[in-house]
Amino acid sequence: MSLGSSIVPILVTSLMAMVPIVLTSVGAVVSERAGIVNIGYEGIIMISAFFGAIAAEVSGSWFIGLLGGAFVGALLGMLHGFITVYLKGDHIIPGIGINLLAMGLVPFGIMAYWGTAGQHQVPDTVRVPNWNTAYGNISPMIIVTLVITFVTYWVLFKTPLGLRIRAMGENPEAADAIGLNVEKYRFWAAVYGAALAGLAGAYISIDWVGAVTKNVAAGRGFIALANMVFSGWNPLMALVGGFLFGFFDTVAIWVQSSQVVPWQFVQMLPYVMTIIIVAGIIGKVRPPKWDGRPYKRE
């Protein structure tokens, strides 16, 4: 099949592939706009994919599965927020801990709960129903992702709430001086970011991939962080970057199926392109001034 005849299916599949990247990136944008750095999104995606699948199977509802994934992500966000906001802890170490926890918990959990090694296929009865088209399946989560992205952008840049959130990452001292509760805003921004990553994880396991594997995130948590930097901490640009990654990911699969080049090189394509894109913008974007810095009232 030629690339010309495959371009529409590739674009459709790219939209499916962009969802977890965009959701996680948008959540990370809000978190870091409030000054909270979280590098644990890879682990959050993995753990939420695991528990989201369990929630869907136990309840018999894909909707509960998605909510379950977002809830687990929010809980991990609360843990991260408590350590970084209220205990004034380092922002990097909790994220590393979450990632390491996921690397052990998910493979063990798959074996302990489902009795299989390395992978569990989620039954079709509890997977998110897709729209079947001539160009492939289209998930309603694409629409949900677009809505979340645009609403988040509107709130962040067009409302008083968004101004307060951004103040927490740019000048929390001034925000504190006018009576705003810096800790509250930072904490809930961290929770929001992790909840979207949790929703992304559940989407992978009970919608897009339809399985829980020991490496279900496949680096997408880290790609989302790179995409956040690419976006300049802007949800709309994160949407563009997420689609680019989804496109390269899909093209890699198409090239692999055509057997033009060895599959090992093809699978590197999305990650190589991410490195190239991020390398091209390093030094050209500026993070929030208080990004990653614990705030202590003097």
Side-chain angles (χ1 to χ4, degrees), residues 20-22 24-25 41-42 45 217-230 241-242 244-246 269-275 278:
I21 301 297
V22 173
T24 307
S25 297
Y41 292 120
E42 181 81 358
I45 290 173
R220 285 175 173 81
F222 299 116
I223 295 295
L225 287 172
N227 185 46
M228 175 197 65
V229 177
F230 164 78
L244 287 175
F245 177 84
L269 179 61
Y271 306 97
V272 171
M273 292 307 301
T274 300
I275 293 173
V278 173

Side-chain angles (χ1 to χ4, degrees), residues 142-185:
I142 294 173
I143 306 299
V144 172
T145 299
L146 293 174
V147 170
I148 288 175
T149 299
F150 283 100
V151 169
T152 300
Y153 172 83
W154 178 75
V155 170
L156 203 54
F157 293 103
K158 304 295 183 181
T159 68
L161 173 60
L163 180 61
R164 293 169 185 167
I165 292 172
R166 288 184 285 124
M168 303 307 150
E170 291 292 343
N171 196 338
E173 293 173 323
D176 192 10
I178 63 173
L180 295 179
N181 189 327
V182 175
E183 292 179 337
K184 179 183 73 174
Y185 282 98

Side-chain angles (χ1 to χ4, degrees), residues 42-58 65 68-70 72 101-102 104-116 118-120 122 197-198 200-206 211-214 216-217:
E42 181 81 358
I44 293 173
I45 290 173
M46 291 178 64
I47 295 172
S48 297
F50 172 69
F51 283 107
I54 291 178
E57 293 185 10
V58 170
V72 170
L101 172 65
L105 174 63
V106 174
F108 173 77
I110 293 172
M111 294 182 63
Y113 188 80
W114 288 296
T116 58
Q119 177 173 330
H120 168 72
V122 176
Y203 163 79
I204 293 174
S205 63
I206 64 175
V212 183
T213 69
K214 62 181 181 181
V216 65

